[in-house]
Amino acid sequence: MTWIGINPFPPGYAARKARPNLAFDPSGNSRRSSDPDMLLACGTVMFETEIPNTSNRPLPLLSFQSDTGWTRRFSIALDRAQSVRLTIVQGPSATTTAIESPDLTAGSRIRVSYTWDAPARSAHLTIQSMDRLAIHQAAVANPVPLPLADLRDIVSIGPATFVEDGIACLAVADHIAPICLSSGLMRGTLIGTAEGYRSVERLALGDLIQTASSGQQPIRWITRVEVPAVGQFAPIRLRAPFFGLLQDIVVAQDQGVIMTGPDAEYLFGSDTVLVKARDLTSLHSVQYEPDLPTVTYYQILLDNHECIDVAGTWAESLFLGQLSGSPGLARRTSLADLPVCSMPRHGQSVARSLRSYEAASLLTELSA
């Protein structure tokens, strides 16, 4: 199971221009991707975008149309009433599904994904708000396999495909990709434990790890998920010795890092705040990690939301938020294998998490 096509839309790239040489390799065999009769029974189509400032009218975000052989349509569009609408047509088969979300406002950033398992008669349309960390999902009736040739046209923005200019990245997988939750640490990241520092991939359930405010706490669960290293999934490197780090660490953009001091107290009424890694990239010690097709993130879940010792700095553990009361939705995330009876309830975050403009204000104060 892998991501078989990834289009990062690099800066300066015209989204509507096709990229015929884009890598597309289903099941490790590129020859099969050109066979118009090959079908993908299970898969994922995912993209990120920023909601544009438009009038109150439908706006196509991603659409594919072809009448070669038989009629095929695949489209995801913004609807009038703050909703995203999915339409799929395969010959005589047609289905439409919509999700209403308060997060669909001008300037908001969302990740949209469609996952399907045709043999199991299961499919879902999902919207993730990347500003509020909210997830909205709807079941899609009567899913059908999708032709690999069509998926190739979609991910490479071929002649039968249109994407709205705000699309930031686009990817296709040959499996049902779980919803990736916020935060994450790459392989090799050192975690402070009762027995000293150990790399995150060597941790096990029940291991005691060091927290900032609650001493040593046992690990409730560890997730591991592979995602395209594009868009908001692109990893960020924090360089030692800044932030008190013993070594460089590579983290997800949403990974919160603790910052303390009188400037935080003055601006936000607390001397301890969480700042997302993506909001630290103006610092010379923080930069995006280049040239990775995919990235695997590990996430550590504790009974409470805590700040844990990550290579000498304090960074947040996985925060469940709304998932604590939504076990059905949790089963379609990277927590799919966590027993419902073992899922902790996180009432509140361990510290205030700054918005991007608030983080910018704090960094300005610190550099003054």
Side-chain angles (χ1 to χ4, degrees), residues 224-342:
R224 179 180 179 274
V225 61
E226 182 187 17
V227 293
V230 294
Q232 293 298 311
F233 284 136
I236 290 177
R237 178 177 293 269
L238 279 63
R239 295 194 173 278
F242 300 96
F243 309 101
L245 287 166
L246 303 174
Q247 67 171 34
D248 290 4
I249 60 173
V250 182
V251 302
Q253 292 186 39
D254 283 326
Q255 179 64 56
V257 178
I258 282 290
M259 298 188 74
T260 62
D263 292 305
E265 174 75 34
Y266 171 73
L267 290 172
F268 309 112
S270 172
D271 63 355
T272 301
V273 293
L274 282 167
V275 180
K276 302 299 184 186
R278 66 169 178 264
D279 295 325
L280 296 170
T281 52
S282 61
L283 304 175
H284 72 277
S285 57
V286 181
Q287 63 186 43
Y288 287 96
E289 193 76 351
D291 303 326
L292 293 175
T294 63
V295 60
T296 298
Y297 287 126
Y298 292 82
Q299 301 165 317
I300 298 173
L301 178 65
L302 305 179
D303 286 334
N304 297 300
H305 188 224
E306 304 277 3
C307 286
I308 61 178
D309 183 355
V310 178
T313 196
W314 297 109
E316 65 175 332
S317 62
L318 180 60
F319 182 56
L320 292 188
Q322 70 178 100
L323 286 179
S324 296
S326 304
L329 182 59
R331 284 196 296 270
R332 290 184 283 276
T333 72
S334 50
L335 291 170
D337 295 328
L338 174 65
V340 173
C341 61
S342 298

Side-chain angles (χ1 to χ4, degrees), residues 33 169 220 313:
S33 66
C169 62
R220 171 73 74 175
T313 196

Side-chain angles (χ1 to χ4, degrees), residues 45-48 76 84 110-114 125-128:
V45 174
M46 182 273 294
F47 65 87
E48 295 177 355
I76 299 176
V84 168
I110 60 172
R111 180 179 299 126
V112 180
S113 62
Y114 170 62
L125 176 66
T126 305
I127 302 173
Q128 288 178 268

Side-chain angles (χ1 to χ4, degrees), residues 6-15 17 19 22 155 157 165 167-170 230-231 291:
I6 301 172
N7 194 331
F9 296 113
Y13 169 69
K17 183 178 179 181
R19 302 183 69 196
L22 186 76
V155 77
I157 319 301
D165 284 340
I167 300 293
C169 62
L170 179 60
V230 294
D291 303 326

Side-chain angles (χ1 to χ4, degrees), residues 68 92-93 109 112 122 146 149 168 181 184 202 210 228 270 316 335 337 362-363 366:
T68 302
S93 173
R109 299 171 305 151
V112 180
S122 174
L146 298 182
L181 305 176
R202 295 180 57 232
Q210 189 64 43
S270 172
E316 65 175 332
L335 291 170
D337 295 328
L362 177 58
L363 294 182
L366 292 173

